[in-house]
Amino acid sequence: MEGFIPSVPYEFPQQLTVPVPSGAAIPTTPYPMTHPVGVPGVTQPAILPGQMPTPGMLPLEQSYIENILRFNRGKRVRVYQTFEYNPEWPAKIFEGIIVEAGRDHLILSNPDTGENYLLLMVNLDYVEFAEPIDYIPPTLPGFVLQSIPAR
């Protein structure tokens, strides 16, 4: 069967533990700390302790493509996408200005042609920027950084 990938057994780690210095206060948050990631019984942190989510944005620790694209709204880009099983145009390049980005989509506007595009992230190969990329690197909470030995 073409395109079929057999499943391979994989053991998932049960739980990640982070050493906390004795006497250190761990901030609490009213938000849920885990959410499912598509595999039954496996969860990951949704919000790290002490981090308050910005309305409409994922926490900064989660460096996802859509967040990077959101930081760069208004910038001119060239988006490279491929479309499997499409003999008419298996690959295409879209040029325009980033209007919005979501978990599964990107909206571009091309002022030169007047065209607007709603592009699916699943087809995204890469994005080329005409200017420097605005990016905030992910960070770890202070109590985790303190527990990591210096090199």
Side-chain angles (χ1 to χ4, degrees):
M1 175 187 284
E2 186 178 327
F4 175 75
I5 299 173
S7 62
V8 179
Y10 177 78
E11 290 186 28
F12 291 95
Q14 294 301 315
Q15 183 175 1
L16 173 67
T17 57
V18 178
V20 178
S22 63
I26 299 176
T28 59
T29 177
Y31 302 99
M33 294 304 293
T34 60
H35 68 277
V37 293
V39 179
V42 177
T43 59
Q44 70 181 26
I47 298 171
L48 294 174
Q51 297 296 316
M52 298 303 286
T54 304
M57 292 286 289
L58 293 171
L60 293 178
E61 288 78 12
Q62 298 182 2
S63 181
Y64 294 119
I65 298 283
E66 71 262 18
N67 283 348
I68 296 167
L69 292 170
R70 284 180 191 148
F71 289 140
N72 290 277
R73 281 185 192 115
K75 290 190 177 182
R76 185 174 285 274
V77 294
R78 185 176 291 153
V79 177
Y80 293 81
Q81 293 199 310
T82 52
F83 305 91
E84 291 187 56
Y85 310 112
N86 188 334
E88 189 176 331
W89 34 275
K92 197 163 181 174
I93 301 169
F94 298 90
E95 294 187 32
I97 295 173
I98 298 172
V99 175
E100 190 58 72
R103 187 172 298 258
D104 65 347
H105 66 278
L106 171 63
I107 299 174
L108 289 184
S109 176
N110 188 330
D112 299 334
T113 64
E115 294 176 309
N116 294 293
Y117 306 104
L118 173 60
L119 306 172
L120 299 179
M121 291 288 198
V122 71
N123 299 321
L124 181 68
D125 291 324
Y126 64 97
V127 178
E128 188 177 87
F129 287 80
E131 56 189 288
I133 300 170
D134 291 334
Y135 180 69
I136 299 174
T139 59
L140 294 172
F143 73 90
V144 174
L145 292 175
Q146 291 172 359
S147 67
I148 299 173
R151 292 184 181 192

